Amino acid sequence: MLLTDTHTHLYYETDADKLDELMQRCFDHQIERLFLPNVDVASIAKIDGMVKKYPKNCFAMAGLHPCDVKEDYEEVLDEICQSMVDRDIYAIGEIGIDLHWDKSTLAIQQAAFREQIKWAKDLDLPIVIHCREAFDEIFEILEAEKDEQLRGILHCFTGNLEQANKAIGLGFYLGIGGVVTYKKAGLDEVLKHVPLANLVLETDSPYLAPVPHRGKPNESSYLVHIAQKLAEIYNTSVEEIASVTTANSISIFKI
């Protein structure tokens, strides 16, 4: 069995020994592929450190998180773009729009999102989208940008069936994380109408820990609980969930 965490910020752990323990717990649960989304300039070196230490297991993305899009975003984007020159990058992310914390930055979030979509197309890479309280705004841009190159993952999907089908129709996989294990979230009911072939697994560690660890810091080894929940939803084995979702991740990231 081989499980893939398509979205983890495990690099936030700065203690080397603790990070090794986190990785070992992943390996103990057959989680051997971890994709690391970038959020700002400072996270580049942290991601690179993990990739260097675990080159067969950790894979880098590059991008500016929408919550980090400020007035100087153009300069920050230039710096992130330059960082990709001598690095192996497998996706542009995480990028997108977040209207939960600050709606006043919508215009520059939209501009940064469009610019990074352009990067992805120029480099023939997928995008990994952060969408919080912004489905309409995200879909407006994706529909305008839609072509054969546009593809990727709608990270931390928590929308309804209509939104799921719209994302899939635009060429995106749904990133399913700990929220699927929350009783009142309703995501399990949505997924009953979504083919497994359109899903990938993620933790978004250290956020959104699944049951039975809800409310505590998340880690990539907890991906197994998400896989077990999907096995229940799809009335299949954890091994089948692992097989299909890892194959989907390979299709997206080309590794």
Side-chain angles (χ1 to χ4, degrees), residues 122-219:
D122 288 345
L123 296 168
D124 194 24
L125 291 174
I127 61 174
V128 173
I129 300 174
H130 173 105
C131 174
R132 190 169 187 189
E133 298 177 18
F135 275 113
D136 290 345
E137 291 79 4
I138 289 286
F139 285 141
E140 180 181 7
I141 290 176
L142 294 182
E143 286 171 344
E145 295 286 345
K146 181 174 173 56
D147 60 18
E148 291 182 356
Q149 286 183 292
L150 185 67
R151 65 189 191 278
I153 299 170
L154 192 55
H155 148 65
C156 193
F157 180 78
T158 56
N160 58 35
L161 182 58
E162 180 182 359
Q163 291 161 338
N165 287 332
K166 195 165 189 177
I168 293 165
L170 285 164
F172 286 81
Y173 288 79
L174 309 182
I176 305 301
V179 173
V180 75
T181 68
Y182 303 169
K183 286 185 177 179
K184 295 183 179 180
L187 184 56
D188 54 343
E189 293 301 317
V190 172
L191 293 185
K192 289 177 181 178
H193 305 283
V194 176
L196 182 58
N198 298 118
L199 308 183
V200 291
L201 303 186
E202 61 170 64
T203 60
D204 201 21
S205 165
Y207 313 110
L208 298 172
V211 174
H213 302 285
R214 187 177 183 182
K216 299 176 183 178
N218 199 3
E219 59 181 76

